[in-house]
Each structure stands twice: as structure tokens, then as C-alpha cells.
Amino acid sequence: MKLSNSFCAVLAVVARGVAAQDLYNIGEEYMAPAAASAMSAMSASYARYVHYTPPPTAADGPGVNVLVKSKTKTSATPTPTACSYWLDNIKHQGVAAFNSDTNYTVYRNVKNYGAVGDGVTDDSAAIQRAISDGNRPALSSGQTFTNYPAVVYFPPGTYLLSTAIIQYYYTQLIGNPLCPPTLIPTTGFTGFGLIDGDTYGANGLAINPTNIFYRQVRNFIFDMRSVPATSSFTGIHWPTSQATSLQNLVFLMSDAPGTQHQGVFLEGGSAGFMSDLVFVGGLYGMNVGNQQYTMRNISISNAVTAFSLFFDWGWTMAGATINNCSVGFDISAVPTDQSDHAFMVIDSTISHTGIAFNTSFNPANNLPASGGTLIIENVKVTKVPTAVLGFGAAVLYAGPKTGTIAAYAQGHSYTPNGPNIIHGPITPNTRPASLTTGSGAYYTMSKPQYGNVPVSQFVTARSQGAKGNGVHDDTAPLQKALNSTAAAGQILFVDAGTYIVTSTLYIPPGARIVGESYSVIMSSGAFFNKPNNPRPVVQVGIPGDNGRIEWSDMIVSTQGGNIGQQGAVLIEWNLASSSTSPSGMWDVHTRIGGTIGSNFQGATCPITPTSPKTQTNQLDTKCYAAHTSMHVTPSAQGLYLENVWQWTADHDLDNNDGGNQITIYTGRGLLVDNSKGPIWLWGTAVEHFALYQYEFVGASNIFMGQIQTETAYWQPNPNATVPFKNNPAQYDPVFPTTPFTAPDVPGVQIPNADGWGFRAVNSTLFVYGAGFYSFFNNYSTTCSNQGGGEICQSRIMSVEGTSVVNLYDLHTVGTHEMIYLNGKDIAFYGDNLDDFTDNIAVFRTNGP
């Protein structure tokens, strides 16, 4: 880990004793009361953080020791030339395509709203004005939306806050990456964190955390050292879900005895991604709970507990650096009913720390059976007395004290048969050299922010004739801009907006593309409505192209209307890049339906659970929204994906509270039929496609870090075979035609033709965390109720042919059989119970 390339981030979490259903959410919309009592009890212990108030003697004003000398650079007196950043210097012309206010402003500089940034003036109100300008729905309204996007920029400076900054939905808070701004509290500060991502009210959180998408915070220093050490103070409150990220943050906290500070607090959601964070001091560096997460390049030092996890289904941590803490990773949670289901740390270092991993795992009588799953691989330790503690402080693994933990696992294993209860060293994966660096760690690459590139090297899409207004055909001007900037070595800045394309948009080698508040490329028209002749909306290279591209902060989508988009392949990747300098795609998402302007919303495509759908002619062709989300073809090589969410909408984002469900049909999720690689999928999710979410055919040299899926909510009405007919040329799966029954649920026919969460055919894959969820049967969640037999679908993961799959941490919901290996069910959910999910620590087709 290179600390010079990241900033210090401290994440602190606290939740009051709110209702259990506010903390244990499923899907993007619904919350399961089952197994939530543990979360509610845990949250009560953090009540003092939620509504922080200063000590009684505090007077309003900047705290003492705000600018205590530190090895971490602050930005109180930056050099203007050294801090010049293109994002603030470029001409901003972004539009909110479907907002009725034609004067709506997307880009906001907080100093244009009255913020001073001198460390003396209270900037709270000015910053909040910058966020709320344009009649944006307040967070407290509970509304989600896509037609009020905002980028809020903080120039270098020190911003004094008397109240928390409330981050709205669909908002990016961006500091200057060259001279990151510092946030400091007044001594009279009140609020839940210097930044609060979801406010608490009388009825709990303003927005269900599983509905909080499309937001970022990057390039800030959170300096909390002026707050008394014994005060329960939080850096950022961040309950969020997919398409969200924290990047390049610095959190400075008290390390005095009795410190109660915490950096990041995160108590719910279905996320998510964080990277390049450093934590210094505090009771907790990070204090977190979420369904699943991918985190990498995290540094925590001088904290009591570096990382506290009080609830999860699956979590992958890579590239962590822990130093001088009492406990490195605490996943003990509730000892007799473990709410930490699965946690993994790879390619990390822990030094001068008393206990590396504190767990509640009990080999003699683990409760629940697969709770407390832990995976460690390639973790270097220095002067660490105890590697892994279990239930009752029993030493499960003393570890080398100083050396390398090659691999350790506790939980259930299938190699390929099982379950076997394991707790101890295991054989590590044999990693392909093409996927790793010289040190043996898996390759990573942070999203570029082009801090040292002058604004003269940027060209804006709107300056080239594109409109981005959701009406004008922008195909030709966008193509011209892509071609010219790639040829000139320039960067194309795609101003905020929705850009309609009526034929394929080609990204040539050499392109570098940056969006603004998730600029949208939206297909439209008959060109993309030919299911037997699928065509890419965005085509990255053509077969035979060699070179490299960088693409960040955008969305690819489709637009319906009188016709659907049955032949739209949203992204087709053909480009061959070097394995040592791959192409990258960061925070680029596919979003199909559920938004204003997509014409795939509830009014057009309502749910019909009481109307049986068994024939194709019973389906509304206007609700066919895509053929495939993304296809990585055989010609591709050297591809890096990070924080990429490929989503078929299950509900309207622009319908007040995001609560109205919809039914739209999309065929295939992510297809990779590429044997070359290397391909890295860090923090990706694919949801609600009919035939499959992830499918790999003849694929190899592929790494995945915490992948996540959901089965379409409308299945099995119709089942996967009705809207999309099998096409062997496209590697479509063949589904059984006979009913699936099981002796443990007599008289129940479990859906046997729902979309696969994961399908591997003749492929060699390395999977470091996988959550495959099936919550619904025809919009009813009864099938996934805890203790109900997991009857939403029969099977969700298929491994076929000569596939070699090395998988750590598989957690499933609602599926009766967890793994289907060459026509045989090998992992029954009932053998791997873990409260709401069912867990397997290690699955290897070839053992051991």
C-alpha cells in the first residue's frame, strides 16, 4: 500500500436503538424482520453517537489544537498554483435532462454559496445551501430521484462546521485531490458526523439504506482532534447501497486513553465500495454493518479497535494496513447468535497489534452453524501475539507472531464435497501470475482523478455539439468527440446530462472519459430492438483493437416508449490491453428502467402478480428493456472493473420514495466468454436479469472480489424461459422442465427456472466473496422468510464441464440448493444455516 496515493479516512458508526426492521434490510426495497433483533440490540449500544451534542461547558467556536502538527498534510494554507484542479477550472455546462427547471445548476462550488474555508468562519449553512440549491428534495423527505443531480466541490481550505453536512441523494461531494480540504467541528458542534449520509428522525432513517444509490464522497480530511477524547464523535455516517463510494479520505481522531471517536459509522444498506482510506486514532477506525462490501487500501493506526464489524452477510477487505492497535478486526458481535456472517481479509499487513482477529466462532458448538465465517489469505503480521480468537477468548490460531499467514479459514468447506467444519490453516489459492503484482498480491488500480492534468487537456462533450437533454440525438457529436480526443491524447469530459444514441457508440483505443454526476448514455429507437440481432449501445474497441482506455463516473441505459430495446447490449468490450497496464472502468454502471426519461416505469410496466404469465404473447413488448447488460468478448484482454453495478430496476427511483415496483424484462447480465484475461472484478453487482446475472463460458484468468446478485422479483411469473428463448449461440442456459421438490418441504414445488446468480462453464475462476440472493417469488417475500425452507428458487449457482472454481465466502438467500456441480446438488442450504443467509467458507471444485 502506498500511503502517498491515499488519504486518511476514519469511518465511525452509531445507531440508536431503532426498530429492528430499520437495520436489517433486504433487496433494494424491502426490509426483513427476521433475524433483526441482534442488530437492534447492537445499535442500542451506540445510541450516544447518533445525536451527538457537545460537552455542557463547550462554547461555540473553533476547537483547540485544530492544526496540531501531523505527518498528514492539511490544506489550511495551500499554494494556489500547486492546487489548481481541472474540475474547478473547466467550463461547466451540465444539465439535468428531465428537470423542469431549465436553469438548474448541477455543479456547485461551495465558495460561490458563501463558504469561506478559513477555519474561523462557520461554513455549515453555506455548504448546505450549495447542496440544496435548485429546490432539491431534502434527505428528510425520504424521496429518491435522478433528475436533481449535483456535484458539490470544495476548494482547498479549512471548513468550520457547527452542524453536520447533510448529503442529499444523487450527490457527489468532491474535494480538491491535490490539496484536500479539511473539515473541523466547532466546540459547540451538534449532529451525527461531520457528514451525515442519512439522517435519523422519529421513525428511524430518512431513507431506507437499501435505497440509497449514486453518491460519492472523495478527497477530504476529517479532523476531529479538537473534540474531547471522551466525547462520542463520528467522522461520517454512511448507510448506503450500490453505486456509492468513499475514496481518498483522511480522518484524524484522538488517540488519548478512553477515546470514544470513530471514523466511519455504517449500520445498514446493500453496498458498496470504499478505497484509499487512512484512519489515525479513535476507539474505532471503522464501525460498520451492511449486507456486503468490498474495501481495499485501508490504513488504520493507533486505534483501540481498527475495524469493528457488527453485522454483515459477506465482506471482502484487501490491502489493509493495521498498525499499533489493540484489536485489528473485531467480528465477534453477538457471541451466542453471530450476526457477522462472513468476513475476509487478503493481501494485508497487521503489525504491533495484540489480537489480529477477534471472533465468536466456537468449533465445539457454533451458533448458528456457519456463523462467524472467516477467511485470511496472504496476510503479513509483525509482533502480533494472537492471530485468531474465538468464543470465550479461546485461541483458535496463534499464528506466526511475525511472518505470513498464507491462508486460514473457519466455517464450512466443500472441496467439492461437504460440509466439513474447518478452523485452521488451509492451502492458499495458487494465484495466476497474470492477476497479481510482483509481491503476489492481486492487482488493484484506483480511479484516476487527473489531478496533475491541466484543464487545457480536457474537452467537454457539449462544446462538441452534444446536448445531453434527453431528446436530441447525440450519437454523431459524441462519436466525433470520442474520436478526436482519443487521437489527440485528450480527456473527454461528458457534462452532466442524458445523451440519446440511436446507433452504436464506439470508444476507440486511447480514450479517457470522465462523467459528471453520472452522465447517462441512453439508447433509443428501432436499431436496438432486434432480439435476433443484438447490437451494442457502447462498444469498447472492435475485435483486433489494441490499446488502453479509462472510463469513470457514467451510466449506460436504455429508453423505451412505443417499442422496447430487446436487442440492446449496453456495453460490449472487445479491446485488448496489456496485462500490466489494463484498461479500467470505475463507477460506470448500467441502469435499465426505473427513471424519468427511460419510459420503463410503473405507469408503462406495472407489476402483475395476480395475472399468470406462461406465454410470451402475454408479455408487453414495450417492457423489454435490454438483451444483455455487458459482454466481454473473446478478443478482450486486460480489463479492470471497480464499483460497477449492473441493474435492472425493480422499482421507480423517481417516484417520491422509490417504493413503486415495476416489471421490465432484460435477458442477460454479465457474459464473459474470454479465455485470455486477465480480468479483475472488484466490487461488482449484477441484478434482476432473466436468464443469468454472471455467466462465464470458457473463461480464465479472472479475479472477483465480493460479487453480488439478486434474482428478478417477478420470477417465476413468468419463469426465465418465457420472455427470452434459449439461444445456444449466445450460451444461454437450458432450464429444467420438471418440477423441483424436496423432502424437507413436502408438497411444495420450488421454482426451477429462475435466472442463475452465477454460471460457470469450462472456466477457471477465483472468487473472493459471493452473495447470491433470491428474495421474491412473484413479488412475495414469504419464500425467503427465515425458517421457511429457502423456497424462492431451487438452485442459484451452477458449475459445469471442466470448470475449476476457487471460491471463498459463498452466502445465499432463498435458494434451496446452494451449489449445482455438473448436474448434482452438492450443498444443501440446511447444512449451512446462518440466520438469514446460508454460508460456505470454502468451495473448491478440485480440493483440497
Side-chain angles (χ1 to χ4, degrees):
M1 173 181 177
K2 297 180 179 178
L3 296 183
S4 60
N5 293 336
S6 66
F7 297 99
C8 164
V10 186
L11 307 179
V13 189
V14 193
R16 192 181 53 181
V18 296
Q21 61 265 29
D22 288 330
L23 296 174
Y24 202 89
N25 309 315
I26 67 171
E28 276 81 55
E29 188 173 357
Y30 289 92
M31 300 178 289
S37 59
M39 291 301 93
S40 183
M42 181 60 66
S43 71
S45 66
Y46 299 120
R48 64 195 186 278
Y49 288 92
V50 175
H51 296 290
Y52 170 82
T53 55
T57 58
D60 196 29
V64 297
N65 298 325
V66 168
L67 298 178
V68 172
K69 291 183 179 180
S70 169
K71 293 181 181 179
T72 305
K73 179 182 177 182
T74 66
S75 57
T77 55
T79 304
T81 303
C83 298
S84 180
Y85 184 40
W86 69 267
L87 182 63
D88 196 38
N89 296 328
I90 201 167
K91 181 180 180 181
H92 287 278
Q93 308 170 82
V95 298
F98 303 105
N99 190 309
S100 59
D101 180 1
T102 56
N103 295 316
Y104 181 86
T105 300
V106 175
Y107 179 83
R108 300 108 187 271
N109 183 319
V110 296
K111 289 195 173 182
N112 292 336
Y113 290 81
V116 179
D118 61 0
V120 177
T121 305
D122 183 353
D123 288 323
S124 303
I127 292 170
Q128 206 61 54
R129 281 195 298 272
I131 293 171
S132 62
D133 184 35
N135 295 314
R136 304 182 77 214
L139 193 68
S140 58
S141 72
Q143 294 186 38
T144 64
F145 49 80
T146 63
N147 58 338
Y148 291 90
V151 172
V152 182
Y153 175 72
F154 290 67
T158 298
Y159 295 87
L160 183 67
L161 305 176
S162 60
T163 59
I165 297 171
I166 308 302
Q167 187 189 23
Y168 284 15
Y169 192 82
Y170 222 89
T171 302
Q172 295 174 308
L173 304 182
I174 302 177
N176 184 306
L178 300 171
C179 303
T182 299
L183 306 179
I184 62 172
T186 64
T187 53
F189 178 93
T190 59
F192 190 6
L194 291 169
I195 295 178
D196 190 349
D198 196 1
T199 55
Y200 273 99
N203 297 314
L205 290 169
I207 300 179
N208 176 356
T210 59
N211 278 341
I212 297 180
F213 315 133
Y214 307 114
R215 52 159 50 168
Q216 299 177 12
V217 177
R218 47 187 161 110
N219 311 327
F220 288 90
I221 296 171
F222 295 70
D223 193 338
M224 299 174 280
R225 293 172 296 177
S226 64
V227 178
T230 55
S231 294
S232 301
F233 198 86
T234 299
I236 185 168
H237 175 220
W238 190 248
T240 52
S241 288
Q242 292 90 345
T244 65
S245 63
L246 298 179
Q247 181 190 7
N248 241 22
L249 302 178
V250 176
F251 288 82
L252 305 176
M253 299 173 284
S254 171
D255 60 2
T259 179
Q260 297 298 302
H261 295 184
Q262 51 184 358
V264 174
F265 185 78
L266 159 61
E267 76 274 36
S270 180
F273 185 80
M274 299 183 192
S275 69
D276 307 324
L277 312 178
V278 180
F279 305 74
V280 179
L283 175 62
Y284 306 107
M286 307 182 79
N287 191 14
V288 295
N290 199 282
Q291 287 180 11
Q292 67 281 318
Y293 238 103
T294 301
M295 294 181 172
R296 64 166 196 80
N297 200 25
I298 308 294
S299 173
I300 308 175
S301 61
N302 301 337
V304 178
T305 296
F307 184 94
S308 169
L309 180 66
F310 57 80
F311 147 65
D312 83 315
W313 295 350
W315 210 288
T316 299
M317 172 79 77
T321 300
I322 308 298
N323 181 55
N324 196 33
C325 299
S326 297
V327 177
F329 299 95
D330 190 343
I331 63 170
S332 58
V334 182
T336 57
D337 187 16
Q338 297 173 80
S339 52
D340 295 326
H341 303 310
F343 184 66
M344 182 184 331
V345 177
I346 65 172
D347 299 342
S348 298
T349 63
I350 306 173
S351 59
H352 304 282
T353 295
I355 301 167
F357 296 88
N358 184 33
T359 82
S360 294
F361 189 79
N362 185 352
N365 183 28
N366 200 47
L367 296 174
S370 65
T373 291
L374 175 64
I375 299 292
I376 308 169
E377 188 178 86
N378 189 33
V379 173
K380 294 179 174 60
V381 295
T382 301
K383 296 185 178 180
V384 176
T386 303
V388 182
L389 279 186
F391 181 78
V395 176
L396 298 183
Y397 177 51
K401 308 296 189 291
T402 294
T404 299
I405 302 175
Y408 169 94
Q410 61 189 40
H412 290 186
S413 74
Y414 286 76
T415 55
N417 298 315
N420 309 296
I421 299 175
I422 57 174
H423 60 95
I426 62 171
T427 302
N429 285 331
T430 301
R431 303 177 175 187
S434 63
L435 290 172
T436 62
T437 63
S439 67
Y442 285 109
Y443 180 85
T444 63
M445 181 168 50
S446 292
K447 178 170 71 176
Q449 299 196 62
Y450 306 110
N452 295 314
V453 178
V455 69
S456 60
Q457 289 299 104
F458 288 81
V459 174
T460 68
R462 295 199 73 202
S463 69
Q464 300 301 296
K467 303 294 185 183
N469 60 9
V471 177
H472 182 261
D473 185 350
D474 285 322
T475 312
L478 275 182
Q479 190 62 68
K480 178 183 175 182
L482 283 164
N483 292 344
S484 62
T485 53
Q490 297 171 314
I491 300 171
L492 179 61
F493 178 64
V494 182
D495 315 78
T498 298
Y499 297 81
I500 299 296
V501 296
T502 55
S503 60
T504 297
L505 195 66
Y506 166 71
I507 299 180
R512 290 182 291 173
I513 311 158
V514 182
E516 181 183 31
S517 196
Y518 306 107
S519 316
V520 179
I521 295 173
M522 180 176 278
S523 71
S524 184
F527 182 85
F528 297 107
N529 196 36
K530 297 177 173 60
N532 297 321
N533 184 22
R535 291 163 166 168
V537 179
V538 177
Q539 184 181 53
V540 183
I542 59 175
D545 275 354
N546 293 274
R548 184 175 185 273
I549 74 124
E550 295 176 347
W551 187 12
S552 59
D553 294 322
M554 290 186 66
I555 290 172
V556 183
S557 189
T558 62
Q559 184 181 68
N562 294 327
I563 60 174
Q565 297 284 269
Q566 297 186 63
V569 178
L570 277 75
I571 302 173
E572 179 186 277
W573 201 288
N574 302 292
L575 183 64
S577 302
S578 166
S579 60
T580 58
S581 183
S583 291
M585 197 168 87
W586 301 264
D587 292 284
V588 175
H589 313 288
T590 63
R591 183 178 68 204
I592 307 170
T595 64
I596 292 176
S598 71
N599 299 330
F600 295 117
Q601 292 184 273
T604 304
C605 303
I607 65 172
T608 56
T610 60
S611 176
K613 307 290 186 183
T614 59
Q615 303 295 324
T616 303
N617 60 12
Q618 295 174 320
L619 308 182
D620 190 339
T621 57
K622 293 193 298 296
C623 299
Y624 279 78
H627 181 280
T628 302
S629 178
M630 183 173 181
H631 181 196
V632 182
T633 71
S635 68
Q637 187 172 351
L639 173 58
Y640 182 94
L641 270 62
E642 186 173 274
N643 196 26
V644 173
W645 183 32
Q646 304 190 6
W647 185 56
T648 299
D650 58 273
H651 66 278
D652 276 343
L653 294 179
D654 289 300
N655 187 31
N656 293 327
D657 62 357
N660 282 4
Q661 293 176 313
I662 59 177
T663 296
I664 54 179
Y665 304 111
T666 55
R668 302 150 188 87
L670 173 61
L671 170 62
V672 180
D673 56 332
N674 177 287
S675 62
K676 298 176 183 177
I679 298 171
W680 297 267
L681 307 177
W682 284 100
T684 65
V686 185
E687 297 183 319
H688 312 148
F689 294 85
L691 298 174
Y692 57 79
Q693 316 312 317
Y694 290 86
E695 181 172 271
F696 303 90
V697 180
S700 61
N701 295 318
I702 297 176
F703 166 89
M704 288 166 262
Q706 200 58 239
I707 62 175
Q708 179 255 316
T709 73
E710 287 184 8
T711 302
Y713 294 0
W714 45 263
Q715 289 182 341
N717 182 34
N719 68 33
T721 67
V722 175
F724 298 94
K725 300 304 180 184
N726 177 272
N727 186 337
Q730 296 170 356
Y731 311 112
D732 289 345
V734 176
F735 292 92
T737 57
T738 56
F740 182 96
T741 59
D744 60 300
V745 282
V748 176
Q749 289 191 1
I750 304 175
N752 206 21
D754 284 1
W756 290 108
F758 177 96
R759 182 172 183 245
V761 182
N762 303 327
S763 297
T764 300
L765 308 171
F766 294 84
V767 186
Y768 284 71
F772 304 142
Y773 311 147
S774 187
F775 297 121
F776 292 81
N777 179 319
N778 191 23
Y779 297 101
S780 169
T781 59
T782 302
C783 62
S784 60
N785 284 350
Q786 187 174 353
E790 304 286 41
I791 55 175
C792 294
Q793 72 183 83
S794 57
R795 305 177 178 103
I796 205 163
M797 174 181 173
S798 180
V799 180
E800 305 171 23
T802 58
S803 291
V804 177
V805 175
N806 300 280
L807 189 157
Y808 292 148
D809 171 23
L810 170 65
H811 44 284
T812 64
V813 173
T815 182
H816 208 71
E817 300 290 343
M818 299 174 68
I819 303 174
Y820 190 56
L821 176 61
N822 282 325
K824 182 180 179 182
D825 294 312
I826 65 165
F828 171 54
Y829 91 92
D831 293 332
N832 302 288
L833 294 174
D834 184 10
D835 284 338
F836 194 64
T837 62
D838 310 304
N839 284 3
I840 293 173
V842 178
F843 167 66
R844 288 171 170 161
T845 52
N846 291 6

